[in-house]
Amino acid sequence: MFRRHVPHQADAPILELCGVAVQYDSHQVLEDISFQLTTGERVALVGPNGAGKSTTMKMITGFLPPTSGTARIGGPDILEDPIQAKRLLGYLPENGPLYGEMTVLEFLNFIAEMRGYRSTVEKAARIATVTEICHLEDVGYQPIETLSKGYRQRVGIAQAVIHDPPYMIMDEPTDGLDPNQKHEVRDLISRMASDKVIILSTHILEEVEAICSRAVVISGGQLVADGTPDELKRKSSWHGAVTLTIHGQDTSGVKQALEGLVNSGSVETLESSTAGEACRYRVFPKPNQAVAADISELTRQKNWQVDELHIEQGRLDEVFRDLTKGQKEREVKI
C-alpha cells in the first residue's frame, strides 16, 4: 500500500477522515480509513462495487454513523457538531431524489429555503447564480420530470451548491450519462473546483484522469492507495514502455538488438506490414528503469528508419486491478 502525504497550512480548510470504521452486524465494511484534503483538490474515491465508497460518503455527510473514528468538515466534527458540519457540505447522492412535479425554479427555491435563505432578494440571488453556473436558464420553468438525465444531474448539482459550500461530496456524478452529458458535468465540476474540496465517487477510471487531481483507492473496506493519477500510473508495468515502428530492417535482428539494451525487460513483436517492410515492437523496461533514451540512441547508431515511437505513461486500469484483485472474494463472503 502507498499513501500520499498532503502538506497543508494550519489555517487551510481541511476535510479529514480519522480512523473511520463501519461495521454492519458481523461484516466489517470499512476499516481504519484516514486521509485529509485541502481546498482546490478534486479527489476520486475509487474502488470495485461493494468496496465501501458509498458507505464512506454516507459517513462523511452524516447519514451513517461510524462504528469508530470520525470525520472533520473544516473544523466541526460530524459526530460532535453535525449541524455545523452539514452546513459546510454540498451533497449529490447517486441517483439523487428530485421532486419531479416541481419546476426547476420551484425546486431550487425550496432548497434555498431549506438552506436558511429567508430573504426574497437573497434567494433570488443564489438561484440566479446556480442556474447560471449549471446552465439551467433555459429550463427554469420546466417540470423536473420532463428533463433529460443530463439536465436532471445539473439540477442535482445546483441544489448541492446553492449555499456555496466549501466541501462537495458527489456520488457517481456522471453515471448513466451520454458522452456529451459527461463532458458537460465534468467541465462543471472542474470550474467549481478552485475554491472547494470536491470528493467524487466513481468507477470510471477515465473520469479520474479527466478531472481529478488525486485518487483514493478503497478495496475490501481498506484504503489501499492514495496519490495523483500520474503517481498511480507509475506503478503500472506499462509505465515507460515504448512502442515503435521500424522500416526496412530484419525483424529478428531488430528484436535481438532491443533485447540487448541494459534497461530492456522484454520485447514483443506486434505486427509487420504485408510486404515485410515495416514492423512494430513494444519494449517494456526493467522495474524502476527507463528505456526510451536507450532506444533512441540505438536507432541513431543503427541508422534505423523509425516511423513511430510512443512512450506509455502507464495504465490506471492495470494498477486498479492489481490493487483490488482480492475484492471479489470479499463480496462473496459478505
Side-chain angles (χ1 to χ4, degrees):
M1 180 176 73
F2 55 101
R3 300 193 182 190
R4 179 168 169 261
H5 174 67
V6 182
H8 64 278
Q9 298 175 349
D11 59 350
I14 295 171
L15 187 152
E16 183 175 19
L17 267 66
C18 312
V20 168
V22 174
Q23 185 171 330
Y24 291 147
D25 297 326
S26 61
H27 304 311
Q28 193 74 33
V29 181
L30 292 178
E31 182 178 349
D32 192 25
I33 303 292
S34 298
F35 58 83
Q36 62 183 30
L37 317 173
T38 57
T39 297
E41 288 196 280
R42 303 179 303 283
V43 182
L45 202 58
V46 185
N49 292 332
K53 304 187 300 297
S54 292
T55 299
T56 301
M57 291 191 154
K58 289 175 182 176
M59 196 286 307
I60 294 172
T61 54
F63 283 93
L64 177 70
T67 306
S68 61
T70 190
R72 295 189 181 93
I73 316 299
D77 186 297
I78 195 65
L79 294 178
E80 297 176 0
D81 194 0
I83 300 300
Q84 184 56 31
K86 291 175 185 180
R87 284 192 178 115
L88 300 173
L89 284 171
Y91 182 37
L92 177 69
E94 185 179 9
N95 301 317
L98 302 171
Y99 295 107
E101 70 278 8
M102 286 184 173
T103 68
V104 172
L105 291 178
E106 286 171 343
F107 177 68
L108 293 178
N109 185 74
F110 166 70
I111 295 297
E113 290 184 355
M114 293 292 289
R115 282 295 184 179
Y117 293 98
R118 298 290 182 260
S119 159
T120 301
V121 173
E122 270 190 318
K123 282 192 294 184
R126 289 307 307 158
I127 291 169
T129 296
V130 297
T131 53
E132 180 182 358
I133 290 172
C134 298
H135 301 305
L136 294 169
E137 300 95 332
D138 294 337
V139 297
Y141 295 100
Q142 280 187 232
I144 293 172
E145 64 190 2
T146 68
L147 300 177
S148 68
K149 186 164 185 178
Y151 268 110
R152 290 199 301 272
Q153 197 73 326
R154 291 193 215 174
V155 174
I157 294 172
Q159 65 80 27
V161 300
I162 199 164
H163 57 303
D164 194 21
Y167 306 95
M168 284 288 299
I169 311 296
M170 312 178 82
D171 198 352
E172 302 285 359
T174 65
D175 188 44
L177 302 184
D178 67 35
N180 289 333
Q181 293 168 339
K182 284 182 181 179
H183 175 77
E184 291 170 359
V185 171
R186 289 171 183 171
D187 180 62
L188 175 57
I189 293 170
S190 296
R191 285 189 282 112
M192 292 191 304
S194 62
D195 62 348
K196 300 185 187 301
V197 172
I198 296 180
I199 300 179
L200 61 93
S201 167
T202 183
H203 59 275
I204 305 171
L205 297 180
E206 169 198 344
E207 199 147 272
V208 178
E209 296 190 74
I211 60 176
C212 294
S213 58
R214 182 174 163 195
V216 172
V217 184
I218 294 178
S219 180
Q222 297 181 322
L223 193 158
V224 295
D226 181 357
T228 68
D230 284 343
E231 286 171 343
L232 295 180
K233 285 192 289 186
R234 284 198 286 272
K235 300 294 180 180
S236 167
S237 66
W238 286 80
H239 177 65
V242 177
T243 301
L244 69 161
T245 301
I246 296 175
H247 193 272
Q249 298 294 324
D250 173 64
T251 301
S252 60
V254 170
K255 184 177 181 183
Q256 185 176 10
L258 292 170
E259 289 172 336
L261 294 172
V262 173
N263 293 323
S264 176
S266 64
V267 179
E268 298 177 355
T269 303
L270 301 179
E271 60 182 339
S272 58
S273 65
T274 305
E277 295 178 351
C279 189
R280 293 179 71 232
Y281 307 87
R282 181 170 293 132
V283 185
F284 288 89
K286 291 178 180 176
N288 302 315
Q289 300 297 324
V291 75
D294 295 345
I295 291 173
S296 179
E297 177 61 19
L298 179 66
T299 61
R300 188 191 65 79
Q301 291 176 359
K302 298 287 190 179
N303 199 28
W304 289 339
Q305 180 181 334
V306 178
D307 295 339
E308 168 206 13
L309 192 148
H310 171 72
I311 304 173
E312 286 274 356
Q313 299 304 305
R315 300 191 177 183
L316 275 181
D317 59 340
E318 180 200 26
V319 176
F320 179 82
R321 286 194 301 272
D322 287 345
L323 290 169
T324 62
K325 57 189 174 185
Q327 175 70 45
K328 185 175 181 181
E329 180 181 353
R330 174 186 164 82
E331 287 181 340
V332 171
K333 287 180 179 179
I334 290 177

